[in-house]
Amino acid sequence: MLVEYGWVLLLLIALEGLLAADNALVLAIMVKHLPDEQRKKALFYGLAGAFVFRFGSLFAISFLVDVWQVQAIGALYLLFIAANHIFRKLFISKEKEKAATKKEKKKSGFWGTVFKVELADIAFAVDSILAAVALAVTLPNTNLPMIGGLDGGKFLVIFAGGIIGLIIMRFAANYFVRLLQTRPGLEIAAFFIVGWVGVKLLVYTLSHPALAVLPEGFAKSPEWKITFYVVLVLIALGGWFLSKEKKEVPTSE
């Protein structure tokens, strides 16, 4: 049991690191047009919002985690954000994205930017907690007391994932941002992993006794767990080895 919990926690650290880097990159782009002092304030509000919304999402999901409708919405949401992000990265030209960013910059003042940052924080919080729930929900139950509708051990793993995500956003995001910039394929791999985690949550939902589309024990069976982790590791390795290292070219002023 300890090995399985430790393995899931390591996966969460890696996934939260990549998601937090992507989130930090998005926030940095959103506030880039502001003057220095306002930019720092907007990022501070962004970090505070990330903290509040992440823990709000965690405690809300702990009471709703056994409701199959919530599980289904969570699975579909993870699949949607993964597909949407991958589609945008692969099929939408950088010129269109730059043009959209320039338009956005002209419209947004300080408080408008802060508002958009907080909306982004809500989406990031939901992404992070749902990914953590999908990974932790099939872990074996512990002897710890229930928190909401969630086993105490699973809650602590998800809680740790949330804390790690915030720490990475605050202290280690720059390293992950540089990693994503030098190996851009890792970002696509990260969202393939998010989509695969969505599949895991969908399988768990379809195994719910109220639906019984799949056998009740299938989501917790060794065969499915091994399949899930093998595919997950292959996606991660593929993202690393198939992503060509991109060296930063210094620009002359």
Side-chain angles (χ1 to χ4, degrees):
M1 188 188 286
L2 280 175
V3 171
E4 198 168 351
Y5 268 78
W7 172 241
V8 167
L9 191 56
L10 284 175
L11 283 176
L12 267 178
I13 290 169
L15 187 56
E16 288 285 351
L18 288 167
L19 285 175
D22 190 64
N23 298 350
L25 195 56
V26 170
L27 292 184
I29 291 165
M30 288 174 83
V31 303
K32 194 177 177 183
H33 64 288
L34 294 171
D36 272 354
E37 199 58 39
Q38 289 189 348
R39 191 185 309 153
K40 285 175 188 171
K41 280 185 185 175
L43 285 173
F44 172 77
Y45 291 144
L47 189 64
F51 184 86
V52 171
F53 294 130
R54 198 160 293 212
F55 286 104
S57 300
L58 172 58
F59 283 97
I61 204 75
S62 68
F63 287 94
L64 299 170
V65 72
D66 277 334
V67 180
W68 73 262
Q69 291 90 340
V70 173
Q71 294 170 5
I73 291 167
L76 293 174
Y77 178 74
L78 287 175
L79 289 167
F80 168 75
I81 61 163
N84 181 54
H85 191 95
I86 292 164
F87 177 81
R88 286 169 65 85
K89 280 286 170 189
L90 294 179
F91 300 108
I92 294 180
S93 68
K94 286 182 182 176
E95 287 73 21
K96 283 184 185 176
E97 282 197 352
K98 280 178 187 172
T101 306
K102 279 180 186 173
K103 272 187 189 176
E104 201 63 38
K105 283 180 184 179
K106 286 177 187 175
K107 291 178 189 174
S108 300
F110 175 70
W111 288 111
T113 301
V114 169
F115 178 69
K116 284 168 189 165
V117 164
E118 296 305 332
L119 286 179
D121 276 334
I122 293 171
F124 297 155
V126 172
D127 298 348
S128 170
I129 296 303
L130 280 175
V133 166
L135 281 172
V137 80
T138 56
L139 286 168
N141 287 333
T142 64
N143 295 323
L144 294 173
M146 299 285 284
I147 298 173
L150 200 59
D151 174 79
K154 295 176 186 177
F155 181 90
L156 287 176
V157 167
I158 297 167
F159 180 82
I163 288 281
I164 288 160
L166 287 170
I167 291 169
I168 290 168
M169 273 187 86
R170 175 65 184 87
F171 297 107
N174 285 339
Y175 168 75
F176 280 95
V177 166
R178 283 197 300 273
L179 186 63
L180 289 179
Q181 285 171 341
T182 54
R183 288 187 176 269
L186 275 181
E187 188 174 355
I188 293 172
F191 278 89
F192 267 114
I193 289 172
V194 170
W196 184 234
V197 168
V199 170
K200 180 182 174 74
L201 189 54
L202 188 62
V203 165
Y204 187 77
T205 306
L206 295 175
S207 303
H208 195 283
L211 288 177
V213 175
L214 292 172
E216 192 177 336
F218 178 76
K220 296 183 180 181
S221 66
E223 294 82 8
W224 165 241
K225 284 185 178 181
I226 289 167
T227 302
F228 172 77
Y229 289 122
V230 166
V231 172
L232 187 142
V233 169
L234 287 174
I235 294 170
L237 290 174
W240 180 264
F241 289 111
L242 297 176
S243 178
K244 291 180 182 175
E245 192 163 357
K246 186 177 165 188
K247 294 188 179 175
E248 291 180 33
V249 180
T251 53
S252 53
E253 294 291 331

